[in-house]
Structures are given as structure tokens and as C-alpha cells.
Amino acid sequence: MSGGFDVDRMHAAYAVGVVDSGARTDASGRPLAAFCRVNMVTSLDGASTLGGRSGALGDRQDQRLMSVLRSHADVVLVGSGTVETEGYGGAAVDDADAAWRVSRGMPPQPRFAVVSSRLGIGPRHPFFTEAVVRPLVVTTEDSPPERRAALAEVADVIVAGAERVDLPDALRELARRGLPSVLCEGGPGLLGALIGADLVDELCLSLSPTLVGGGAGRIATSAAEHPRGMGLAHAIEGERMLFLRYVRER
């Protein structure tokens, strides 16, 4: 285990996978899918939320790490339920990390993308009205056309899949649009679907020193089990929390 939470050190520690992996391509160089890193938090007894929110399990260092991880991404992917529950809206990274991105030739902010099959989230949600960069919406062919049209006024809409969102197709489209590095922030249904499609390249897991009990769910849920081997890349000790990074076993 390594110790000490230093922002520059965290940037270096979490840059490795994104820099080395990039988008998957075929023999002709055509993008197959974006590189997908996941960031989640859990309690000691496996709860993914406290009082219904994952953010309640974290602390200031966990929030700082979230901004660092977003700094290395082209797009932050999140399910519509998590957008509602966690109160998404506004800038993705703070001013310091925006400056860090600019110094490396990146846009100041990564883009947000919400995944929603039925488009229950409306165009007046803060996710859209407070966005500093035009967001993306990932949806299906069967989503209500009038809702799709309304959201197209405030976001770029990606249609992937018929009745359910086709995540491999969505990640291919993100890579094709020049967004090869994806950071997924859940929720559990979206992470479960990514696991089922074998699209998770890295899992960054913040371990909260908290026992929750109750009926809180896990960080990933799906109808069937899809075991995927992951290897521990590092464990960094914060003031209270433990920050773990796991990478796909090749």
C-alpha cells in the first residue's frame, strides 16, 4: 500500500491507463470502442449509497479525486437515475483541473453524456441548463421521438440500439466522434450493463470506512452474472478513505 494524497501524484497515478490504452481499433485503425474507466464508491459492508446517495459515502479527498479522474476523460458517462439522484449540473472539473487540461492541449472541460432508454429527463434539467459544454444523450430507436427532438435542442443525441441502449455501439460512436476516453460514474444498472458487455477497462473504487447496513444496493446490478477478472494496479491511502485502482486482466 502506498500513502499520501497529493494532487500531482494522483494525476500521475491515474493517467497511466488512459494514456496507454486509448480507443480500441481494428487493423485498419477504425475505432472499435472507447476506453472505459469506471469510478465508484462503496462502504466497508458493500453499500453503494448512504441515505440514497453515493456522494454521502465520500469525503473531500474523494471529491477531489473525482475531479482528477474527470480531468483525464473526454466524456463523463452517467445513467439518468444517477443524474437525478446525485444532482448533476454545471462544470465537470474545478478551475485547477480545467487549467491542467488546457496545459496539455485538452478542452477545459470534458463533456457529460447521459444514458437513457426512455428519456425521462427533460431539457430544463440542470444537467442541460447549467452545462458549460454541450452534453450528449445516449438513447434508443424506440425512445419517444418528441422527447428526442426536444433534447436535440440542448444536447447531441446518439441513438444506439432499438429497445435497449447498445453500449458497445455507443462507445464506438463516442470514439468515432473524437471522444476515446470515457469515465463512467454509474449508477449500478449502467455499470452492470458495461460489465455484461465486457467494456470495463478500469475500475477506480473509493473504499469508505463506513458500515451502513440497511438495504442499500451494490455498485453494479444485472440480471445475470458476468465474471470479469481485474488486477490491482494501486492502493492509495487518504486521510480516511482507501483509493483502489483495478485494471482489466489481458
Side-chain angles (χ1 to χ4, degrees):
M1 179 185 297
S2 52
F5 189 101
D6 175 79
V7 172
D8 290 337
R9 179 169 174 248
M10 297 303 270
H11 271 296
Y14 285 95
V16 177
V18 173
V19 170
D20 291 348
S21 298
R24 303 182 186 92
T25 58
D26 61 17
S28 66
R30 183 176 56 191
L32 294 173
F35 170 84
C36 185
R37 165 183 277 173
V38 178
N39 182 35
M40 302 293 278
V41 62
T42 183
S43 69
L44 292 175
D45 56 339
S48 63
T49 59
L50 175 61
R53 295 183 59 253
S54 62
L57 287 170
D59 61 9
R60 64 178 185 84
Q61 289 186 337
D62 180 56
Q63 290 296 312
R64 187 67 188 87
L65 176 59
M66 177 185 291
S67 185
V68 168
L69 291 174
R70 289 177 174 183
S71 298
H72 293 270
D74 298 309
V75 59
V76 179
L77 188 71
V78 63
S80 57
T82 299
V83 167
E84 297 282 4
T85 303
E86 302 294 336
Y88 277 68
V93 303
D94 62 19
D95 290 344
D97 287 326
W100 183 92
R101 286 172 59 89
V102 170
S103 72
R104 286 154 178 80
M106 304 169 71
Q109 297 284 333
R111 297 178 70 179
F112 278 116
V114 60
V115 179
S116 176
S117 295
R118 304 308 303 164
L119 299 182
I121 183 172
R124 293 189 177 88
H125 191 281
F127 182 84
F128 302 109
T129 61
E130 297 178 6
V132 297
V133 183
R134 187 173 174 87
L136 299 107
V137 174
V138 181
T139 190
T140 63
E141 295 174 8
D142 288 351
S143 60
E146 68 282 1
R147 295 182 185 177
R148 244 186 2 248
L151 289 175
E153 297 293 324
V154 295
D156 294 339
V157 178
I158 295 174
V159 176
E163 297 179 0
R164 301 176 66 88
V165 172
D166 184 325
L167 287 170
D169 188 34
L171 264 62
R172 280 191 295 269
E173 179 60 19
L174 289 172
R176 190 190 70 78
R177 294 185 182 213
L179 303 169
S181 176
V182 173
L183 175 68
C184 175
E185 296 181 350
L190 178 55
L191 177 51
L194 288 169
I195 293 170
D198 197 21
L199 292 172
V200 178
D201 293 297
E202 291 192 9
L203 172 64
C204 301
L205 186 66
S206 297
L207 184 61
S208 174
T210 309
L211 294 171
V212 174
R218 296 161 50 195
I219 64 170
T221 58
S222 59
E225 294 180 347
H226 302 280
R228 311 293 184 194
M230 304 291 284
L232 180 64
H234 70 224
I236 298 176
E237 187 176 3
E239 291 176 354
R240 297 179 61 253
M241 304 187 71
L242 184 62
F243 303 106
L244 307 168
R245 174 172 164 255
Y246 290 89
V247 299
R248 170 195 291 268
E249 289 184 348
R250 303 292 179 181

